[in-house]
Amino acid sequence: MPAMTAVEAGARAGAGVPAEAVGPLVRGVGVLRRLAEAGGTLSPSALERATGLARSTVDRITATLARMGYVRLDGRDVVLTPGVLELGNAYLAALRLPALLGARADALADELDESVSLAVADRDGIRFIHQATRRRALSVSFRIGDLLPAERTAPGALFATEWTERDWARWRTRRAEDPRDTAFPAVPPRPEPAPAHDTTGTTGTAAAVEAAFADRVGAARRDGWAVDDQLIEPGLVAVSAPVRDPRTGRVACVASVVSHTSRHPAAELPAALLPRLRTAVAAMEADLRTAPPPEPGPAPAGLATWTTASKQELGRDFVESLARGLTVLTAFGEGCPALSLTDVARATGLPRATARRALLTHEYLGLVAAAPHEDRAFALTPRVLDLGFPPLSRTTLPRLAEPHLRVLADRVREPAALAVLTTDGTEIQYTAGAGTGGVLTVRIPVGARLPAAATSLGRVLLADTGTPAVPELAEARARGYALVDEELESGLRSVAVPVRDRTGRAVAAVNVATHAARRSLEDCVEHLLPALRATADDIQRDLHRASRFTKVPTT
């Protein structure tokens, strides 16, 4: 488990915390960070050990986060849910760079058949805001939201060309306190310090590391690009170029092409990849110059009322100050990159005093900062992505659906499944499922394929592919569901509904299957269908959250 940040250590000890900071909010943020660092799942006992909090405090915090939809209590574990992505999505929407530049990065990745990333500066580190990765056995595993030390990356050298002496001092302090980079869980820890003559930048004394980094920063300033020659781990190389803000001329983000030495030795990167990277960067900068002003998205509604009602319902188990503090982060977003105290109070419905204390606490935790070029306004920082984004940024639709399918199967006491159409549209492939304990039950394993036209799952998906000429498909399209009665197998009845992506396209379907002796056709429609539709809505909501700034594979 990575070491605590200085902020969290101070919060635990009660030292250095501003008098107006909201203690439960500090502790709740710490719980979310520990969960993210652990991959999204920890037991309450493990959270107790990782945070140093009392078990009763951990239980109250996790109950509150569960009420907010940020975690679920799964048996003995606390598990991050896609709901927590709302916090990171608020930052990415306010930033706008992923929405404006992501398609260019994806196109470059397709052109080069290499992974491409976009990163922003996060104090003396760099944090990824977009990833276009290749699907191959040996691939880059960084995720959106991962934080890396600046000195071990090519983007870090480019960002450091704009560092002030204060920035360098902060970097030296961090290096002195954590020479092995144990506070950066996304990268392997550095080896134990090597002899003083080692100047590679990956090992060695503090002076050697600083000298090597300073040399790379000087080269980046001179050349306008930088190379990562296995700074993170053996075999991993990258070439990076800055994308500059047309208003200020400063580095807005850095685009990188990432490969490994078996494909491109580091010495070949400038000739092999840099020209096309620079062309893409020039197009990105043109996009920034011509982008229209953003339209503000819908403001959060009724948050203060909801937290009050939750407190009345759950009593002591609901930490209202934590819930209200986290809702402040969701006031930011597209068209709202910088907000005043008045703006935040108006958007959330919270009293000004409550919003002010929450903002001060978030500022102390590094989650908000004074907005540049805005008087008396706040903006979210990249550190918001710490709150659960990385482990969920590479999820799949089956993973999103599985907990909802289990709840559905338990509720209706019938097996439930998720399936997608195969490429040729003739079959469906089962990708997730939840069974029941009955003796006579439907058991179709994940990965199995069945004829699409003979299944409810296939019909509801085929009905969405165009103007259906087959009467059964036209009926399924008109009703929004498909009901199949003993066509695939004697005694087997099933009803299915579509799962739609953010564009409204049916990318998968969910169904409930039963035996004809247990449920009539009318019972399937009156009792199974409403529960099935509610489950599809839950899966869609999670899919829409998870896919706002990342690609969610359907298999």
Side-chain angles (χ1 to χ4, degrees):
M1 186 70 63
M4 288 185 298
T5 66
V7 164
E8 290 166 344
R12 177 184 293 185
V17 182
E20 291 186 279
V22 182
L25 181 55
V26 173
R27 293 186 283 273
V29 166
V31 166
L32 287 175
R33 281 176 166 158
R34 294 288 87 82
L35 280 168
E37 290 164 357
T41 303
L42 280 176
S43 68
S45 297
L47 273 172
E48 184 182 358
R49 292 191 297 271
T51 61
L53 299 173
R55 176 58 182 269
S56 60
T57 302
V58 169
D59 289 343
R60 293 181 66 216
I61 288 173
T62 54
T64 302
L65 296 175
R67 178 72 167 190
M68 300 184 75
Y70 293 168
V71 306
R72 72 173 185 272
L73 307 179
D74 191 353
R76 296 183 177 181
D77 289 329
V78 180
V79 182
L80 289 174
T81 68
V84 79
L85 292 173
E86 291 179 342
L87 303 176
N89 283 342
Y91 164 72
L92 294 172
L95 184 67
R96 294 193 77 200
L97 294 177
L100 293 175
L101 309 181
R104 297 282 187 188
D106 295 344
L108 181 62
D110 291 339
E111 178 188 354
L112 298 176
D113 193 27
E114 299 286 359
S115 295
V116 174
S117 66
L118 300 176
V120 295
D122 188 347
R123 297 190 181 183
D124 60 341
I126 68 116
R127 198 178 291 270
F128 294 112
I129 59 168
H130 185 82
Q131 289 281 358
T133 57
R134 301 292 87 189
R135 279 191 145 187
R136 53 171 68 109
L138 190 61
S139 62
V140 179
S141 62
F142 289 127
R143 307 158 301 181
I144 294 177
D146 275 339
L147 177 68
L148 278 61
E151 68 277 11
R152 294 177 67 179
T153 68
L158 290 164
F159 285 121
T161 62
E162 297 179 342
W163 280 6
T164 64
E165 185 50 44
R166 181 180 179 183
D167 296 324
W168 280 100
R170 179 170 54 200
W171 175 78
R172 294 185 189 100
T173 299
R174 188 261 296 166
R175 289 278 307 125
E177 294 175 347
D178 184 21
R180 299 195 62 213
D181 297 334
T182 58
F184 295 86
V187 298
R190 288 178 182 267
E192 293 294 338
H197 64 269
D198 185 340
T199 59
T200 63
T202 54
T203 62
T205 64
V209 171
E210 180 169 350
F213 185 45
D215 287 345
R216 292 197 299 110
V217 172
R221 183 179 292 111
R222 179 190 68 239
D223 301 332
W225 50 271
V227 166
D228 169 357
D229 185 3
Q230 307 178 78
L231 296 171
I232 294 172
E233 65 180 25
L236 185 64
V237 294
V239 60
S240 301
V243 180
R244 297 192 178 275
D245 187 326
R247 298 170 301 170
T248 64
R250 293 178 63 83
V251 180
C253 67
V254 170
S256 302
V257 181
V258 186
S259 188
H260 54 81
T261 52
S262 298
R263 292 175 60 84
H264 293 287
E268 296 180 2
L269 294 179
L273 303 178
L274 183 60
R276 282 174 284 184
L277 173 61
R278 280 181 152 167
T279 299
V281 164
M284 291 178 184
E285 292 177 340
D287 289 342
L288 293 182
R289 284 194 298 272
T290 59
E295 292 291 334
L303 294 176
T305 302
W306 178 85
T307 58
T308 299
S310 297
K311 180 64 175 179
Q312 292 174 347
E313 180 179 342
L314 299 181
R316 186 178 181 277
D317 288 336
F318 185 79
V319 186
E320 189 173 14
S321 57
L322 167 59
R324 290 189 164 192
L326 290 175
T327 63
V328 163
L329 299 177
T330 65
F332 298 83
E334 188 172 2
C336 302
L339 295 175
S340 68
L341 171 58
T342 300
D343 294 333
V344 171
R346 183 184 302 117
T348 59
L350 296 172
R352 280 176 56 90
T354 301
R356 177 176 177 275
R357 290 192 64 198
L359 286 168
L360 289 174
T361 306
H362 288 313
E363 188 174 35
Y364 163 67
L365 293 171
L367 302 175
V368 304
H373 318 299
E374 297 280 351
D375 185 34
R376 303 180 70 179
F378 295 89
L380 299 180
T381 74
R383 204 148 290 199
V384 173
L385 295 174
D386 269 343
L387 308 184
F389 210 94
L392 293 170
S393 68
R394 286 244 181 120
T395 192
T396 64
L397 181 55
R399 289 179 187 169
L400 294 176
E402 283 169 358
H404 299 296
L405 294 177
R406 292 199 301 268
V407 171
L408 174 62
D410 290 343
R411 177 181 173 185
V412 301
R413 299 183 182 276
E414 303 284 4
L418 177 83
V420 298
L421 273 180
T422 56
T423 304
D424 62 7
T426 62
E427 295 181 309
I428 58 164
Q429 179 179 357
Y430 284 78
T431 57
T436 60
V439 176
L440 181 63
T441 188
V442 179
R443 291 187 177 90
I444 301 177
V446 169
R449 295 188 176 195
L450 293 174
T455 63
S456 62
L457 289 160
R459 286 184 184 176
V460 83
L461 289 170
L462 290 172
D464 197 66
T465 58
T467 303
V470 180
E472 292 86 352
L473 301 185
E475 183 180 26
R477 182 167 186 164
R479 290 181 173 180
Y481 70 90
L483 179 62
V484 171
D485 182 25
E486 302 188 76
E487 295 183 38
L488 182 68
E489 183 177 320
S490 297
L492 179 63
R493 285 178 176 155
S494 67
V495 58
V497 297
V499 174
R500 301 185 182 279
D501 63 13
R502 293 178 64 86
T503 69
R505 182 172 63 96
V507 293
V510 290
N511 85 333
V512 171
T514 186
H515 190 274
R518 284 207 299 270
R519 292 184 186 268
S520 66
L521 293 176
E522 292 76 14
D523 189 36
C524 289
V525 174
E526 291 179 11
H527 296 98
L528 294 184
L529 184 59
L532 185 61
R533 280 178 162 159
T535 298
D537 289 343
D538 290 339
I539 296 172
Q540 283 179 174
R541 182 173 59 252
D542 284 352
L543 175 61
H544 295 175
R545 288 164 170 164
S547 61
R548 186 172 180 185
F549 294 104
T550 64
K551 292 182 178 179
V552 178
T554 57
T555 58

